[in-house]
Amino acid sequence: MSDQIQFIVEKLNQEPFRKNYNLITFDSLESVQLLQLLNDVLGEIDPKHAVDIREELPEQTGKRMLSLLGILKYKPPGSISDLSAFRQGLVTGSKSVIHPVLHWLLQRTNELKKRAYLARFLVKLEVPAEFLQDDTVADINKQYEELMEAFKNLHKECEQLKTSGLSTAEIKRDISAMEEEKDQLVKRVERLKKRVETVQNHQRMLEIARQLRLEKEREESLAQQKQEQKNQLFHAEQRLQRAQLQLKEMHHAVVDSKPESLMKKLEEEINFNSYLVTEKIPRELESKKNSAYFLQKVVSEPAMSQSDLSVIEIKINEVNAQINQLIEKRMMKYEPIDSKFSMYRQQASIIARKKEAKAEELQAAREELSGTERQMLHKTSQAQELEGSEVLKGEELKHYVNKLRSKNTFYKKKRLEIAEITAEYGILQRTEELLKQRHEAIQQQLQAIEDKKGISGYSYTQEELERVSAVKSEMDEMKGRTLDDMSEMVKKLNALVAEKKASLAPVIKELRQLRQMCQELTQERDEKKIQYDSCAAGLESNRSTLEQEVKGLLEECVQEESNYRYINCMKRNLEIQLERAKEEMKTYVSPDPQKRRKAIREQYTRMILEQENLGKKLREKQKVVRESHGPNMKQMKMWQDFEQLMECKRECFLKQQNQTAIGQVIQEGGKDRLVL
């Protein structure tokens, strides 16, 4: 509720209200001020309601607000039985009624303005049937309905134009640009005409160009028709494939089957489907309807804060505790027969749950089986379409499996050899590293000895000389062999080139065919893509329109369900009243006087007689009182005078006693002085 009030205050402080409220001042508003504030918000939505509520009666204000809220389709929180309380709270300005209304109105002000504007033209006048018998009234009513439909269409077109994103400025710019393009095209046509006029036989050439353009357009239309025919052929082939798959499935199901097995299978399917139709699906449908009803009820409720949720949770815990206590009391009061029945009930419920679970498992298994069968048939058709490939069966499959196993063992053996060679290579690599390190150490020692002897670099120079001499000898040998090797290499290369040309000739031919096929497939793929894009755009637009229709139908369904519940409640109330009236008639017409005395009419008749007798007695008593009123008043006046006289005598007597007592005290005081 605090969030709700805060939202209301924020909206009222903004344009166009500008109230400058805070939470304290808003909460301290009186009922009349709240009603005026609600009327200001309604006046902002519909200017006809911008009035001062002090100038009209409370009943008129409530009726006017209720009519506008009904047009705006406001649903008060709570059940239908609370409508009278809602009306009473709206008339008296109750906060619990006005705050949710303000919150709902301020949330969707623009939408409600539009709805109030349309209501002035779309609220249908209810004309009684007897007035519609007149031809003039009927014609006017029909004309009124036609005008209403025309207004609906015009308003829809206006909204579409508003939401289409086209503005007058953009349209003017487009028109000016098109006019400029038109002028440029006219000038270009004039220039071309001047150029063509100098050419001989220009009229004949223009006619030929026109015919060429028409032939191109015809070619495009024929290409489009050809593409449509290809699409139809493709769809027909797809339908044929689906029919062939269904035929294969039917053949597969019929092969190696007997009438008894088929009957048994059909009985199982019938039992399973009957269980689904009679038990499972209605139960699921009922649960879905209940959940949808509760969700709709939750959606129609106003927004709840954390404090409201905590209060509801506390109530839920209390109710659960009470339920547990009642269950314990019931279990304590169980008799043996009831306990036996409860055991059977538990077993029946367990069996029902198991049955439901098995039905779900069976349904899932059937769906999985059908999916795998479809996938298997699809894979089989794909394998048959491939060139030189066949589906292996029986002995061929066994032979192929044995061959794969032998290849697998050979592969494992070679893999072990590769692992051994890899390990040996690692060992040799490590040995090489160690030998290199040892060689470097020996070279360092040799260099140190040469430095000591004064012949540093001797070993390096000797190694270089030996290496150069070895290279020279190798080069001499290579020079001798080069000419022979080159002649042999040329012969080999020529033979290899000729061999490669001969081997590549069929491959090149096949490659040319494949390239041509690739170009055709690429062109076909581009055409298919264009078709797919157009089809996808059409399906997307259809989907959006269908979603809008579904949304409208759902809203209409919700409205009809609410009307249905309201009519059912009214029907139930009328049935109860009718039953009471029938019972009253039975008791009133009954020959038994005891039952007749229990009738409401008899009871009210007795009460009326008793009240009439009491009224007669009271009138007689009133008559007696009126007759004795004068003497009684006179007697009462005499008693009052007598009481005043006696009171005066008592006061005189008391004064006289006080005076005698004072005189005695004075005399006694004088005697005492004389004695002193």
mmCIF file of all heavy atoms in Angstrom, residues 184-197:
data_model
loop_
_atom_site.group_PDB
_atom_site.id
_atom_site.type_symbol
_atom_site.label_atom_id
_atom_site.label_comp_id
_atom_site.label_asym_id
_atom_site.label_seq_id
_atom_site.Cartn_x
_atom_site.Cartn_y
_atom_site.Cartn_z
ATOM 1 N N GLN A 184 13.780 15.728 -64.292
ATOM 2 C CA GLN A 184 15.034 15.245 -64.878
ATOM 3 C C GLN A 184 14.780 14.188 -65.946
ATOM 4 O O GLN A 184 15.419 14.184 -67.016
ATOM 5 C CB GLN A 184 15.931 14.668 -63.775
ATOM 6 C CG GLN A 184 16.448 15.717 -62.804
ATOM 7 C CD GLN A 184 17.260 15.099 -61.678
ATOM 8 O OE1 GLN A 184 17.461 13.884 -61.639
ATOM 9 N NE2 GLN A 184 17.728 15.953 -60.763
ATOM 10 N N LEU A 185 13.817 13.274 -65.661
ATOM 11 C CA LEU A 185 13.505 12.240 -66.655
ATOM 12 C C LEU A 185 12.904 12.836 -67.917
ATOM 13 O O LEU A 185 13.197 12.390 -69.044
ATOM 14 C CB LEU A 185 12.543 11.211 -66.038
ATOM 15 C CG LEU A 185 13.129 10.309 -64.948
ATOM 16 C CD1 LEU A 185 12.037 9.477 -64.303
ATOM 17 C CD2 LEU A 185 14.186 9.384 -65.540
ATOM 18 N N VAL A 186 12.046 13.859 -67.757
ATOM 19 C CA VAL A 186 11.454 14.512 -68.936
ATOM 20 C C VAL A 186 12.542 15.163 -69.784
ATOM 21 O O VAL A 186 12.563 15.051 -71.030
ATOM 22 C CB VAL A 186 10.393 15.533 -68.489
ATOM 23 C CG1 VAL A 186 9.968 16.417 -69.647
ATOM 24 C CG2 VAL A 186 9.180 14.813 -67.909
ATOM 25 N N LYS A 187 13.479 15.853 -69.130
ATOM 26 C CA LYS A 187 14.577 16.480 -69.870
ATOM 27 C C LYS A 187 15.437 15.436 -70.577
ATOM 28 O O LYS A 187 15.842 15.603 -71.734
ATOM 29 C CB LYS A 187 15.432 17.299 -68.907
ATOM 30 C CG LYS A 187 14.729 18.533 -68.370
ATOM 31 C CD LYS A 187 15.622 19.270 -67.375
ATOM 32 C CE LYS A 187 14.895 20.492 -66.801
ATOM 33 N NZ LYS A 187 15.731 21.194 -65.799
ATOM 34 N N ARG A 188 15.728 14.312 -69.879
ATOM 35 C CA ARG A 188 16.540 13.264 -70.495
ATOM 36 C C ARG A 188 15.817 12.651 -71.704
ATOM 37 O O ARG A 188 16.440 12.364 -72.742
ATOM 38 C CB ARG A 188 16.828 12.183 -69.451
ATOM 39 C CG ARG A 188 17.821 11.141 -69.923
ATOM 40 C CD ARG A 188 18.083 10.132 -68.821
ATOM 41 N NE ARG A 188 18.713 10.766 -67.680
ATOM 42 C CZ ARG A 188 18.981 10.116 -66.522
ATOM 43 N NH1 ARG A 188 18.639 8.830 -66.409
ATOM 44 N NH2 ARG A 188 19.572 10.752 -65.541
ATOM 45 N N VAL A 189 14.497 12.458 -71.571
ATOM 46 C CA VAL A 189 13.726 11.911 -72.693
ATOM 47 C C VAL A 189 13.757 12.862 -73.880
ATOM 48 O O VAL A 189 13.893 12.450 -75.049
ATOM 49 C CB VAL A 189 12.282 11.606 -72.240
ATOM 50 C CG1 VAL A 189 11.403 11.303 -73.434
ATOM 51 C CG2 VAL A 189 12.272 10.446 -71.266
ATOM 52 N N GLU A 190 13.646 14.154 -73.599
ATOM 53 C CA GLU A 190 13.699 15.136 -74.690
ATOM 54 C C GLU A 190 15.054 15.116 -75.383
ATOM 55 O O GLU A 190 15.144 15.167 -76.625
ATOM 56 C CB GLU A 190 13.395 16.530 -74.150
ATOM 57 C CG GLU A 190 11.935 16.708 -73.726
ATOM 58 C CD GLU A 190 11.680 18.074 -73.123
ATOM 59 O OE1 GLU A 190 12.682 18.821 -72.950
ATOM 60 O OE2 GLU A 190 10.512 18.382 -72.824
ATOM 61 N N ARG A 191 16.148 15.026 -74.580
ATOM 62 C CA ARG A 191 17.475 14.966 -75.184
ATOM 63 C C ARG A 191 17.639 13.711 -76.043
ATOM 64 O O ARG A 191 18.198 13.749 -77.149
ATOM 65 C CB ARG A 191 18.548 14.993 -74.096
ATOM 66 C CG ARG A 191 18.720 16.351 -73.441
ATOM 67 C CD ARG A 191 20.042 16.435 -72.707
ATOM 68 N NE ARG A 191 20.147 15.433 -71.655
ATOM 69 C CZ ARG A 191 19.777 15.625 -70.384
ATOM 70 N NH1 ARG A 191 19.256 16.803 -70.026
ATOM 71 N NH2 ARG A 191 19.904 14.668 -69.503
ATOM 72 N N LEU A 192 17.155 12.578 -75.520
ATOM 73 C CA LEU A 192 17.256 11.339 -76.285
ATOM 74 C C LEU A 192 16.442 11.398 -77.568
ATOM 75 O O LEU A 192 16.850 10.865 -78.621
ATOM 76 C CB LEU A 192 16.806 10.158 -75.414
ATOM 77 C CG LEU A 192 17.733 9.795 -74.244
ATOM 78 C CD1 LEU A 192 17.090 8.725 -73.366
ATOM 79 C CD2 LEU A 192 19.066 9.276 -74.770
ATOM 80 N N LYS A 193 15.252 12.036 -77.511
ATOM 81 C CA LYS A 193 14.442 12.182 -78.716
ATOM 82 C C LYS A 193 15.177 13.009 -79.771
ATOM 83 O O LYS A 193 15.167 12.695 -80.971
ATOM 84 C CB LYS A 193 13.103 12.841 -78.375
ATOM 85 C CG LYS A 193 12.098 11.903 -77.735
ATOM 86 C CD LYS A 193 10.783 12.617 -77.492
ATOM 87 C CE LYS A 193 9.752 11.667 -76.898
ATOM 88 N NZ LYS A 193 8.446 12.348 -76.650
ATOM 89 N N LYS A 194 15.838 14.102 -79.321
ATOM 90 C CA LYS A 194 16.584 14.932 -80.257
ATOM 91 C C LYS A 194 17.728 14.152 -80.892
ATOM 92 O O LYS A 194 18.033 14.306 -82.074
ATOM 93 C CB LYS A 194 17.125 16.165 -79.544
ATOM 94 C CG LYS A 194 16.036 17.173 -79.174
ATOM 95 C CD LYS A 194 16.621 18.356 -78.437
ATOM 96 C CE LYS A 194 15.520 19.342 -78.038
ATOM 97 N NZ LYS A 194 16.087 20.496 -77.297
ATOM 98 N N ARG A 195 18.390 13.265 -80.073
ATOM 99 C CA ARG A 195 19.469 12.457 -80.631
ATOM 100 C C ARG A 195 18.945 11.419 -81.624
ATOM 101 O O ARG A 195 19.559 11.154 -82.656
ATOM 102 C CB ARG A 195 20.212 11.734 -79.502
ATOM 103 C CG ARG A 195 21.097 12.626 -78.671
ATOM 104 C CD ARG A 195 21.817 11.772 -77.635
ATOM 105 N NE ARG A 195 22.587 12.607 -76.726
ATOM 106 C CZ ARG A 195 23.288 12.116 -75.692
ATOM 107 N NH1 ARG A 195 23.285 10.809 -75.464
ATOM 108 N NH2 ARG A 195 23.968 12.931 -74.923
ATOM 109 N N VAL A 196 17.804 10.819 -81.278
ATOM 110 C CA VAL A 196 17.282 9.737 -82.104
ATOM 111 C C VAL A 196 16.730 10.266 -83.427
ATOM 112 O O VAL A 196 16.761 9.566 -84.456
ATOM 113 C CB VAL A 196 16.216 8.945 -81.316
ATOM 114 C CG1 VAL A 196 15.476 7.962 -82.207
ATOM 115 C CG2 VAL A 196 16.854 8.206 -80.158
ATOM 116 N N GLU A 197 16.222 11.498 -83.417
ATOM 117 C CA GLU A 197 15.618 12.037 -84.635
ATOM 118 C C GLU A 197 16.616 12.146 -85.781
ATOM 119 O O GLU A 197 16.252 12.096 -86.952
ATOM 120 C CB GLU A 197 14.994 13.407 -84.345
ATOM 121 C CG GLU A 197 13.712 13.305 -83.544
ATOM 122 C CD GLU A 197 13.175 14.676 -83.168
ATOM 123 O OE1 GLU A 197 13.873 15.671 -83.470
ATOM 124 O OE2 GLU A 197 12.078 14.741 -82.569
#
